[in-house]
Amino acid sequence: MGRNLLEISDLKKNDIKKIIRRAGELKELKKQGKSLKSLEGMSVGLLFEKQSTRTRLSFQAGLFQLGAQAIYLNPVDTQLGRGETIADTAKILSSYLDGIIIRTYGQNKALELSYHSSVPVINALTDLEHPTQIISDLFSISEQGIDLENFKLAFLGDGNNIANSFVAASATMGFNLSICVPPGHEPNARVMGEAMELGNSEIGVTYNPADAVRDADIIYTDVWISMGEERKGTEVFKPFQVNSKLLSLCSKNPFVMHCLPAHRGEEITAQVMDSPFCIAFAQAENKLHAGKAILEFCLLD
Ligand code: CP
Ligand code: NVA
């Protein structure tokens, strides 16, 4: 049967804890050079309509390591590129594959694919959310000895897919979140509303970076211009840059995180990006281990 992962809200707190625990086990096994073919004989399609380095490669390598076949589907080369519908495509892919990983523009497309698919669909980034990234990032945070139910994350920049997934994750896990964005760039209203309704954590939106970071354990940033939003200007985001002046206002010694790709000199300075307290490259590595745990959770459970 398996399960879809389209948004963070598809998961309960215990699901996230279970995936993170498993990511740790899989990371340890890999370090010991032990192989585990838990997905032996399976085939998974990766339908990516946007660029990707980390997500695509970590899923492809992870599938191979677990004994499964990864099939990359470039929409331009499939009949989707000539107008075949998502619904028909979903039915066809379901009859060949054991799972589909999709990176696309609108969340509706991923939803439509899952609606017509009889195999699990995993969202590898849409304009609305990037759930696999945030699960992997929670794994990275827990590796630093931080209690996932009791810390504060400050997100600076654009209220984009990463911000939305953190809003939902905060409500699910119970950690506190300060979203610091320019006016007009707040996270998605529906995701915010659902998180507020759950009421499990403090989620605030502020326009003042100093307020956001003051007591933060984690400072997180992402590109100012997400894929598909290239028409937006960067000027309005400049006060939200993560730089050493901003970090000097923190009362704790926060870790700095970035899902990458980074634009040094825009959302983060090179000095901060390349400093020892920036764990962006550990995050990138963990996408392999967390991705494998997500695959097992969605395809086997
Ligand atoms: N962080 C992330 O999703 O990177 P890619 O766009 O390279 O997959
Ligand atoms: N917000 C970024 C994330 C890239 C991993 C984007 O959607 O382009």
Side-chain angles (χ1 to χ4, degrees), residues 145-194:
I146 293 173
D147 175 1
L148 291 181
E149 297 174 43
N150 187 24
F151 73 100
K152 178 181 167 183
L153 187 143
F155 179 93
L156 282 93
D158 182 27
N160 59 18
N161 42 15
I162 296 285
N164 291 334
S165 288
F166 269 122
V167 168
S170 160
T172 304
M173 297 306 292
F175 63 84
N176 293 335
L177 179 66
S178 183
I179 298 278
C180 186
V181 292
H185 294 270
E186 294 83 0
N188 177 272
R190 197 258 298 160
V191 175
M192 280 293 279
E194 286 176 6

mmCIF file of all heavy atoms in Angstrom, residues 145-194:
data_model
loop_
_atom_site.group_PDB
_atom_site.id
_atom_site.type_symbol
_atom_site.label_atom_id
_atom_site.label_comp_id
_atom_site.label_asym_id
_atom_site.label_seq_id
_atom_site.Cartn_x
_atom_site.Cartn_y
_atom_site.Cartn_z
ATOM 1 N N GLY A 145 22.237 17.449 19.094
ATOM 2 C CA GLY A 145 21.864 17.279 20.499
ATOM 3 C C GLY A 145 20.691 18.163 20.910
ATOM 4 O O GLY A 145 20.452 18.347 22.108
ATOM 5 N N ILE A 146 19.988 18.712 19.948
ATOM 6 C CA ILE A 146 18.869 19.611 20.253
ATOM 7 C C ILE A 146 17.575 18.796 20.316
ATOM 8 O O ILE A 146 17.328 17.934 19.458
ATOM 9 C CB ILE A 146 18.777 20.721 19.173
ATOM 10 C CG1 ILE A 146 20.000 21.635 19.284
ATOM 11 C CG2 ILE A 146 17.475 21.508 19.285
ATOM 12 C CD1 ILE A 146 20.123 22.670 18.191
ATOM 13 N N ASP A 147 16.776 19.070 21.352
ATOM 14 C CA ASP A 147 15.479 18.400 21.526
ATOM 15 C C ASP A 147 14.483 19.001 20.532
ATOM 16 O O ASP A 147 14.183 20.196 20.585
ATOM 17 C CB ASP A 147 15.014 18.635 22.982
ATOM 18 C CG ASP A 147 13.627 18.079 23.249
ATOM 19 O OD1 ASP A 147 13.016 17.504 22.339
ATOM 20 O OD2 ASP A 147 13.168 18.231 24.399
ATOM 21 N N LEU A 148 13.973 18.163 19.640
ATOM 22 C CA LEU A 148 13.128 18.669 18.548
ATOM 23 C C LEU A 148 11.802 19.254 19.020
ATOM 24 O O LEU A 148 11.099 19.900 18.251
ATOM 25 C CB LEU A 148 12.863 17.565 17.522
ATOM 26 C CG LEU A 148 14.077 17.123 16.707
ATOM 27 C CD1 LEU A 148 13.683 16.038 15.711
ATOM 28 C CD2 LEU A 148 14.712 18.302 15.980
ATOM 29 N N GLU A 149 11.464 19.003 20.273
ATOM 30 C CA GLU A 149 10.206 19.555 20.778
ATOM 31 C C GLU A 149 10.446 20.822 21.585
ATOM 32 O O GLU A 149 9.504 21.415 22.108
ATOM 33 C CB GLU A 149 9.491 18.501 21.642
ATOM 34 C CG GLU A 149 9.120 17.278 20.812
ATOM 35 C CD GLU A 149 8.539 16.156 21.646
ATOM 36 O OE1 GLU A 149 7.720 16.444 22.527
ATOM 37 O OE2 GLU A 149 8.919 14.999 21.412
ATOM 38 N N ASN A 150 11.703 21.219 21.702
ATOM 39 C CA ASN A 150 12.009 22.311 22.609
ATOM 40 C C ASN A 150 13.219 23.127 22.144
ATOM 41 O O ASN A 150 14.291 23.050 22.735
ATOM 42 C CB ASN A 150 12.249 21.731 24.012
ATOM 43 C CG ASN A 150 12.401 22.813 25.046
ATOM 44 O OD1 ASN A 150 11.914 23.925 24.869
ATOM 45 N ND2 ASN A 150 13.113 22.490 26.113
ATOM 46 N N PHE A 151 13.035 23.850 21.074
ATOM 47 C CA PHE A 151 14.072 24.781 20.633
ATOM 48 C C PHE A 151 13.396 25.872 19.818
ATOM 49 O O PHE A 151 12.203 25.790 19.540
ATOM 50 C CB PHE A 151 15.166 24.074 19.804
ATOM 51 C CG PHE A 151 14.747 23.668 18.409
ATOM 52 C CD1 PHE A 151 15.097 24.452 17.307
ATOM 53 C CD2 PHE A 151 13.993 22.530 18.186
ATOM 54 C CE1 PHE A 151 14.716 24.088 16.017
ATOM 55 C CE2 PHE A 151 13.596 22.159 16.902
ATOM 56 C CZ PHE A 151 13.968 22.931 15.817
ATOM 57 N N LYS A 152 14.186 26.895 19.475
ATOM 58 C CA LYS A 152 13.609 27.960 18.650
ATOM 59 C C LYS A 152 14.394 28.116 17.360
ATOM 60 O O LYS A 152 15.625 28.207 17.378
ATOM 61 C CB LYS A 152 13.609 29.302 19.405
ATOM 62 C CG LYS A 152 13.056 30.417 18.520
ATOM 63 C CD LYS A 152 13.049 31.769 19.178
ATOM 64 C CE LYS A 152 12.789 32.837 18.113
ATOM 65 N NZ LYS A 152 12.829 34.193 18.654
ATOM 66 N N LEU A 153 13.659 28.118 16.257
ATOM 67 C CA LEU A 153 14.263 28.322 14.947
ATOM 68 C C LEU A 153 13.803 29.670 14.398
ATOM 69 O O LEU A 153 12.610 29.986 14.438
ATOM 70 C CB LEU A 153 13.858 27.190 14.000
ATOM 71 C CG LEU A 153 14.531 27.140 12.629
ATOM 72 C CD1 LEU A 153 14.804 25.690 12.202
ATOM 73 C CD2 LEU A 153 13.730 27.844 11.546
ATOM 74 N N ALA A 154 14.768 30.462 13.931
ATOM 75 C CA ALA A 154 14.428 31.726 13.258
ATOM 76 C C ALA A 154 14.697 31.545 11.772
ATOM 77 O O ALA A 154 15.817 31.200 11.385
ATOM 78 C CB ALA A 154 15.271 32.860 13.818
ATOM 79 N N PHE A 155 13.681 31.738 10.972
ATOM 80 C CA PHE A 155 13.827 31.625 9.514
ATOM 81 C C PHE A 155 13.824 33.023 8.928
ATOM 82 O O PHE A 155 12.882 33.787 9.134
ATOM 83 C CB PHE A 155 12.675 30.801 8.917
ATOM 84 C CG PHE A 155 12.767 30.689 7.416
ATOM 85 C CD1 PHE A 155 13.404 29.610 6.820
ATOM 86 C CD2 PHE A 155 12.234 31.682 6.590
ATOM 87 C CE1 PHE A 155 13.514 29.522 5.435
ATOM 88 C CE2 PHE A 155 12.340 31.605 5.210
ATOM 89 C CZ PHE A 155 12.978 30.522 4.633
ATOM 90 N N LEU A 156 14.877 33.359 8.166
ATOM 91 C CA LEU A 156 14.964 34.705 7.580
ATOM 92 C C LEU A 156 14.980 34.643 6.058
ATOM 93 O O LEU A 156 15.663 33.798 5.472
ATOM 94 C CB LEU A 156 16.256 35.390 8.035
ATOM 95 C CG LEU A 156 16.229 35.960 9.443
ATOM 96 C CD1 LEU A 156 16.765 34.967 10.430
ATOM 97 C CD2 LEU A 156 17.021 37.261 9.499
ATOM 98 N N GLY A 157 14.252 35.548 5.438
ATOM 99 C CA GLY A 157 14.288 35.648 3.981
ATOM 100 C C GLY A 157 12.911 35.759 3.393
ATOM 101 O O GLY A 157 12.154 36.666 3.735
ATOM 102 N N ASP A 158 12.586 34.796 2.540
ATOM 103 C CA ASP A 158 11.291 34.807 1.859
ATOM 104 C C ASP A 158 10.378 33.759 2.507
ATOM 105 O O ASP A 158 10.830 32.668 2.847
ATOM 106 C CB ASP A 158 11.532 34.448 0.379
ATOM 107 C CG ASP A 158 10.253 34.480 -0.443
ATOM 108 O OD1 ASP A 158 9.326 35.237 -0.074
ATOM 109 O OD2 ASP A 158 10.186 33.755 -1.454
ATOM 110 N N GLY A 159 9.118 34.065 2.649
ATOM 111 C CA GLY A 159 8.164 33.095 3.214
ATOM 112 C C GLY A 159 7.780 32.057 2.174
ATOM 113 O O GLY A 159 6.623 31.972 1.761
ATOM 114 N N ASN A 160 8.767 31.237 1.801
ATOM 115 C CA ASN A 160 8.616 30.339 0.642
ATOM 116 C C ASN A 160 8.271 28.904 1.075
ATOM 117 O O ASN A 160 7.825 28.664 2.201
ATOM 118 C CB ASN A 160 9.908 30.375 -0.183
ATOM 119 C CG ASN A 160 11.125 29.937 0.632
ATOM 120 O OD1 ASN A 160 10.991 29.313 1.676
ATOM 121 N ND2 ASN A 160 12.308 30.271 0.160
ATOM 122 N N ASN A 161 8.507 27.954 0.163
ATOM 123 C CA ASN A 161 8.212 26.542 0.431
ATOM 124 C C ASN A 161 8.923 26.009 1.686
ATOM 125 O O ASN A 161 8.343 25.254 2.469
ATOM 126 C CB ASN A 161 8.535 25.678 -0.803
ATOM 127 C CG ASN A 161 9.833 26.072 -1.497
ATOM 128 O OD1 ASN A 161 10.657 26.797 -0.946
ATOM 129 N ND2 ASN A 161 10.013 25.586 -2.717
ATOM 130 N N ILE A 162 10.171 26.434 1.882
ATOM 131 C CA ILE A 162 10.923 25.979 3.067
ATOM 132 C C ILE A 162 10.272 26.560 4.325
ATOM 133 O O ILE A 162 10.038 25.847 5.314
ATOM 134 C CB ILE A 162 12.406 26.424 2.965
ATOM 135 C CG1 ILE A 162 13.096 25.753 1.766
ATOM 136 C CG2 ILE A 162 13.158 26.163 4.262
ATOM 137 C CD1 ILE A 162 13.444 24.309 1.929
ATOM 138 N N ALA A 163 9.939 27.852 4.270
ATOM 139 C CA ALA A 163 9.284 28.495 5.417
ATOM 140 C C ALA A 163 7.951 27.807 5.711
ATOM 141 O O ALA A 163 7.638 27.502 6.870
ATOM 142 C CB ALA A 163 9.061 29.981 5.122
ATOM 143 N N ASN A 164 7.168 27.538 4.679
ATOM 144 C CA ASN A 164 5.865 26.879 4.887
ATOM 145 C C ASN A 164 6.033 25.518 5.556
ATOM 146 O O ASN A 164 5.290 25.164 6.473
ATOM 147 C CB ASN A 164 5.150 26.669 3.544
ATOM 148 C CG ASN A 164 4.691 27.981 2.930
ATOM 149 O OD1 ASN A 164 4.463 28.955 3.628
ATOM 150 N ND2 ASN A 164 4.567 27.992 1.608
ATOM 151 N N SER A 165 7.018 24.745 5.095
ATOM 152 C CA SER A 165 7.203 23.413 5.688
ATOM 153 C C SER A 165 7.670 23.529 7.140
ATOM 154 O O SER A 165 7.319 22.692 7.975
ATOM 155 C CB SER A 165 8.190 22.578 4.859
ATOM 156 O OG SER A 165 7.590 22.192 3.649
ATOM 157 N N PHE A 166 8.449 24.568 7.456
ATOM 158 C CA PHE A 166 8.846 24.762 8.854
ATOM 159 C C PHE A 166 7.644 25.160 9.716
ATOM 160 O O PHE A 166 7.557 24.763 10.879
ATOM 161 C CB PHE A 166 9.971 25.791 8.989
ATOM 162 C CG PHE A 166 11.338 25.162 8.937
ATOM 163 C CD1 PHE A 166 12.267 25.551 7.990
ATOM 164 C CD2 PHE A 166 11.700 24.168 9.846
ATOM 165 C CE1 PHE A 166 13.519 24.955 7.932
ATOM 166 C CE2 PHE A 166 12.954 23.566 9.801
ATOM 167 C CZ PHE A 166 13.859 23.962 8.836
ATOM 168 N N VAL A 167 6.738 25.952 9.154
ATOM 169 C CA VAL A 167 5.533 26.329 9.902
ATOM 170 C C VAL A 167 4.763 25.056 10.279
ATOM 171 O O VAL A 167 4.404 24.839 11.449
ATOM 172 C CB VAL A 167 4.642 27.288 9.073
ATOM 173 C CG1 VAL A 167 3.272 27.454 9.711
ATOM 174 C CG2 VAL A 167 5.332 28.644 8.911
ATOM 175 N N ALA A 168 4.557 24.194 9.305
ATOM 176 C CA ALA A 168 3.813 22.954 9.569
ATOM 177 C C ALA A 168 4.590 22.050 10.526
ATOM 178 O O ALA A 168 4.002 21.417 11.419
ATOM 179 C CB ALA A 168 3.526 22.229 8.253
ATOM 180 N N ALA A 169 5.908 22.006 10.367
ATOM 181 C CA ALA A 169 6.726 21.135 11.231
ATOM 182 C C ALA A 169 6.726 21.644 12.670
ATOM 183 O O ALA A 169 6.700 20.851 13.619
ATOM 184 C CB ALA A 169 8.160 21.060 10.699
ATOM 185 N N SER A 170 6.734 22.956 12.829
ATOM 186 C CA SER A 170 6.690 23.543 14.172
ATOM 187 C C SER A 170 5.401 23.123 14.874
ATOM 188 O O SER A 170 5.417 22.718 16.046
ATOM 189 C CB SER A 170 6.781 25.075 14.049
ATOM 190 O OG SER A 170 6.309 25.699 15.208
ATOM 191 N N ALA A 171 4.301 23.201 14.145
ATOM 192 C CA ALA A 171 2.999 22.834 14.737
ATOM 193 C C ALA A 171 2.942 21.346 15.067
ATOM 194 O O ALA A 171 2.301 20.944 16.038
ATOM 195 C CB ALA A 171 1.877 23.209 13.784
ATOM 196 N N THR A 172 3.615 20.521 14.266
ATOM 197 C CA THR A 172 3.583 19.073 14.497
ATOM 198 C C THR A 172 4.517 18.678 15.643
ATOM 199 O O THR A 172 4.144 17.891 16.511
ATOM 200 C CB THR A 172 3.993 18.316 13.209
ATOM 201 O OG1 THR A 172 3.122 18.729 12.164
ATOM 202 C CG2 THR A 172 3.887 16.806 13.380
ATOM 203 N N MET A 173 5.717 19.240 15.643
ATOM 204 C CA MET A 173 6.730 18.801 16.612
ATOM 205 C C MET A 173 6.676 19.590 17.920
ATOM 206 O O MET A 173 7.091 19.114 18.960
ATOM 207 C CB MET A 173 8.149 18.938 16.019
ATOM 208 C CG MET A 173 8.417 18.085 14.797
ATOM 209 S SD MET A 173 8.075 16.335 15.051
ATOM 210 C CE MET A 173 9.349 15.880 16.219
ATOM 211 N N GLY A 174 6.244 20.846 17.841
ATOM 212 C CA GLY A 174 6.132 21.653 19.055
ATOM 213 C C GLY A 174 7.280 22.621 19.290
ATOM 214 O O GLY A 174 7.315 23.289 20.324
ATOM 215 N N PHE A 175 8.234 22.720 18.342
ATOM 216 C CA PHE A 175 9.306 23.723 18.542
ATOM 217 C C PHE A 175 8.797 25.106 18.134
ATOM 218 O O PHE A 175 7.823 25.230 17.390
ATOM 219 C CB PHE A 175 10.579 23.335 17.770
ATOM 220 C CG PHE A 175 10.435 23.276 16.259
ATOM 221 C CD1 PHE A 175 10.554 24.409 15.467
ATOM 222 C CD2 PHE A 175 10.178 22.056 15.639
ATOM 223 C CE1 PHE A 175 10.427 24.340 14.083
ATOM 224 C CE2 PHE A 175 10.049 21.977 14.251
ATOM 225 C CZ PHE A 175 10.173 23.117 13.477
ATOM 226 N N ASN A 176 9.460 26.134 18.673
ATOM 227 C CA ASN A 176 9.023 27.503 18.391
ATOM 228 C C ASN A 176 9.698 28.047 17.137
ATOM 229 O O ASN A 176 10.835 27.681 16.823
ATOM 230 C CB ASN A 176 9.306 28.402 19.595
ATOM 231 C CG ASN A 176 8.433 28.005 20.775
ATOM 232 O OD1 ASN A 176 7.367 27.424 20.591
ATOM 233 N ND2 ASN A 176 8.896 28.290 21.985
ATOM 234 N N LEU A 177 8.975 28.906 16.468
ATOM 235 C CA LEU A 177 9.414 29.366 15.149
ATOM 236 C C LEU A 177 9.159 30.855 15.013
ATOM 237 O O LEU A 177 8.064 31.344 15.321
ATOM 238 C CB LEU A 177 8.612 28.604 14.077
ATOM 239 C CG LEU A 177 8.882 28.925 12.616
ATOM 240 C CD1 LEU A 177 10.303 28.513 12.216
ATOM 241 C CD2 LEU A 177 7.880 28.185 11.720
ATOM 242 N N SER A 178 10.190 31.559 14.542
ATOM 243 C CA SER A 178 10.005 32.968 14.204
ATOM 244 C C SER A 178 10.310 33.115 12.721
ATOM 245 O O SER A 178 11.413 32.803 12.262
ATOM 246 C CB SER A 178 10.960 33.823 15.036
ATOM 247 O OG SER A 178 10.736 35.174 14.750
ATOM 248 N N ILE A 179 9.318 33.548 11.973
ATOM 249 C CA ILE A 179 9.491 33.741 10.531
ATOM 250 C C ILE A 179 9.724 35.231 10.314
ATOM 251 O O ILE A 179 8.878 36.061 10.672
ATOM 252 C CB ILE A 179 8.217 33.303 9.772
ATOM 253 C CG1 ILE A 179 7.934 31.807 9.980
ATOM 254 C CG2 ILE A 179 8.308 33.674 8.298
ATOM 255 C CD1 ILE A 179 8.710 30.877 9.105
ATOM 256 N N CYS A 180 10.880 35.574 9.754
ATOM 257 C CA CYS A 180 11.247 36.975 9.593
ATOM 258 C C CYS A 180 11.402 37.291 8.109
ATOM 259 O O CYS A 180 12.367 36.851 7.463
ATOM 260 C CB CYS A 180 12.552 37.220 10.358
ATOM 261 S SG CYS A 180 12.995 38.941 10.383
ATOM 262 N N VAL A 181 10.442 38.020 7.585
ATOM 263 C CA VAL A 181 10.349 38.266 6.133
ATOM 264 C C VAL A 181 9.948 39.720 5.900
ATOM 265 O O VAL A 181 9.404 40.360 6.793
ATOM 266 C CB VAL A 181 9.283 37.331 5.506
ATOM 267 C CG1 VAL A 181 9.712 35.877 5.547
ATOM 268 C CG2 VAL A 181 7.920 37.487 6.206
ATOM 269 N N PRO A 182 10.168 40.215 4.691
ATOM 270 C CA PRO A 182 9.652 41.559 4.396
ATOM 271 C C PRO A 182 8.123 41.517 4.304
ATOM 272 O O PRO A 182 7.565 40.470 3.931
ATOM 273 C CB PRO A 182 10.246 41.882 3.015
ATOM 274 C CG PRO A 182 11.223 40.800 2.704
ATOM 275 C CD PRO A 182 10.909 39.628 3.556
ATOM 276 N N PRO A 183 7.455 42.634 4.644
ATOM 277 C CA PRO A 183 5.996 42.657 4.502
ATOM 278 C C PRO A 183 5.589 42.251 3.083
ATOM 279 O O PRO A 183 6.237 42.629 2.108
ATOM 280 C CB PRO A 183 5.644 44.131 4.757
ATOM 281 C CG PRO A 183 6.786 44.673 5.543
ATOM 282 C CD PRO A 183 8.007 43.920 5.121
ATOM 283 N N GLY A 184 4.570 41.414 3.011
ATOM 284 C CA GLY A 184 4.112 40.947 1.697
ATOM 285 C C GLY A 184 4.724 39.614 1.289
ATOM 286 O O GLY A 184 4.368 39.036 0.268
ATOM 287 N N HIS A 185 5.694 39.125 2.090
ATOM 288 C CA HIS A 185 6.354 37.849 1.756
ATOM 289 C C HIS A 185 6.133 36.816 2.863
ATOM 290 O O HIS A 185 6.966 35.928 3.070
ATOM 291 C CB HIS A 185 7.846 38.083 1.508
ATOM 292 C CG HIS A 185 8.093 38.925 0.292
ATOM 293 N ND1 HIS A 185 8.252 38.383 -0.965
ATOM 294 C CD2 HIS A 185 8.139 40.262 0.144
ATOM 295 C CE1 HIS A 185 8.409 39.362 -1.844
ATOM 296 N NE2 HIS A 185 8.343 40.516 -1.198
ATOM 297 N N GLU A 186 5.025 36.926 3.555
ATOM 298 C CA GLU A 186 4.710 36.013 4.647
ATOM 299 C C GLU A 186 4.441 34.611 4.101
ATOM 300 O O GLU A 186 4.101 34.451 2.929
ATOM 301 C CB GLU A 186 3.466 36.513 5.406
ATOM 302 C CG GLU A 186 3.648 37.823 6.142
ATOM 303 C CD GLU A 186 3.478 39.059 5.244
ATOM 304 O OE1 GLU A 186 3.216 38.886 4.025
ATOM 305 O OE2 GLU A 186 3.606 40.176 5.753
ATOM 306 N N PRO A 187 4.540 33.584 4.974
ATOM 307 C CA PRO A 187 4.238 32.214 4.531
ATOM 308 C C PRO A 187 2.788 32.072 4.074
ATOM 309 O O PRO A 187 1.957 32.950 4.321
ATOM 310 C CB PRO A 187 4.500 31.371 5.781
ATOM 311 C CG PRO A 187 5.318 32.213 6.675
ATOM 312 C CD PRO A 187 5.006 33.629 6.360
ATOM 313 N N ASN A 188 2.506 30.945 3.470
ATOM 314 C CA ASN A 188 1.177 30.650 2.932
ATOM 315 C C ASN A 188 0.105 30.745 4.038
ATOM 316 O O ASN A 188 0.265 30.157 5.117
ATOM 317 C CB ASN A 188 1.219 29.241 2.334
ATOM 318 C CG ASN A 188 -0.116 28.799 1.801
ATOM 319 O OD1 ASN A 188 -0.923 28.251 2.526
ATOM 320 N ND2 ASN A 188 -0.340 29.054 0.532
ATOM 321 N N ALA A 189 -0.976 31.438 3.734
ATOM 322 C CA ALA A 189 -2.004 31.701 4.748
ATOM 323 C C ALA A 189 -2.692 30.412 5.208
ATOM 324 O O ALA A 189 -2.989 30.247 6.396
ATOM 325 C CB ALA A 189 -3.036 32.680 4.195
ATOM 326 N N ARG A 190 -2.919 29.494 4.298
ATOM 327 C CA ARG A 190 -3.598 28.244 4.678
ATOM 328 C C ARG A 190 -2.712 27.417 5.617
ATOM 329 O O ARG A 190 -3.166 26.911 6.654
ATOM 330 C CB ARG A 190 -3.929 27.435 3.399
ATOM 331 C CG ARG A 190 -4.958 26.345 3.593
ATOM 332 C CD ARG A 190 -4.387 24.937 3.701
ATOM 333 N NE ARG A 190 -3.689 24.471 2.539
ATOM 334 C CZ ARG A 190 -2.817 23.466 2.574
ATOM 335 N NH1 ARG A 190 -2.522 22.867 3.727
ATOM 336 N NH2 ARG A 190 -2.203 23.057 1.478
ATOM 337 N N VAL A 191 -1.418 27.312 5.277
ATOM 338 C CA VAL A 191 -0.485 26.540 6.116
ATOM 339 C C VAL A 191 -0.370 27.205 7.495
ATOM 340 O O VAL A 191 -0.404 26.537 8.536
ATOM 341 C CB VAL A 191 0.908 26.430 5.440
ATOM 342 C CG1 VAL A 191 1.905 25.734 6.349
ATOM 343 C CG2 VAL A 191 0.802 25.695 4.108
ATOM 344 N N MET A 192 -0.299 28.544 7.501
ATOM 345 C CA MET A 192 -0.228 29.276 8.787
ATOM 346 C C MET A 192 -1.492 29.032 9.602
ATOM 347 O O MET A 192 -1.424 28.760 10.799
ATOM 348 C CB MET A 192 -0.095 30.788 8.529
ATOM 349 C CG MET A 192 1.294 31.259 8.185
ATOM 350 S SD MET A 192 2.481 31.097 9.538
ATOM 351 C CE MET A 192 2.117 32.544 10.495
ATOM 352 N N GLY A 193 -2.637 29.116 8.953
ATOM 353 C CA GLY A 193 -3.915 28.949 9.650
ATOM 354 C C GLY A 193 -4.020 27.564 10.286
ATOM 355 O O GLY A 193 -4.423 27.439 11.459
ATOM 356 N N GLU A 194 -3.633 26.538 9.540
ATOM 357 C CA GLU A 194 -3.706 25.163 10.069
ATOM 358 C C GLU A 194 -2.768 24.989 11.263
ATOM 359 O O GLU A 194 -3.097 24.319 12.239
ATOM 360 C CB GLU A 194 -3.372 24.155 8.968
ATOM 361 C CG GLU A 194 -4.496 23.998 7.967
ATOM 362 C CD GLU A 194 -4.143 23.061 6.815
ATOM 363 O OE1 GLU A 194 -3.050 22.436 6.837
ATOM 364 O OE2 GLU A 194 -4.964 22.971 5.878
#
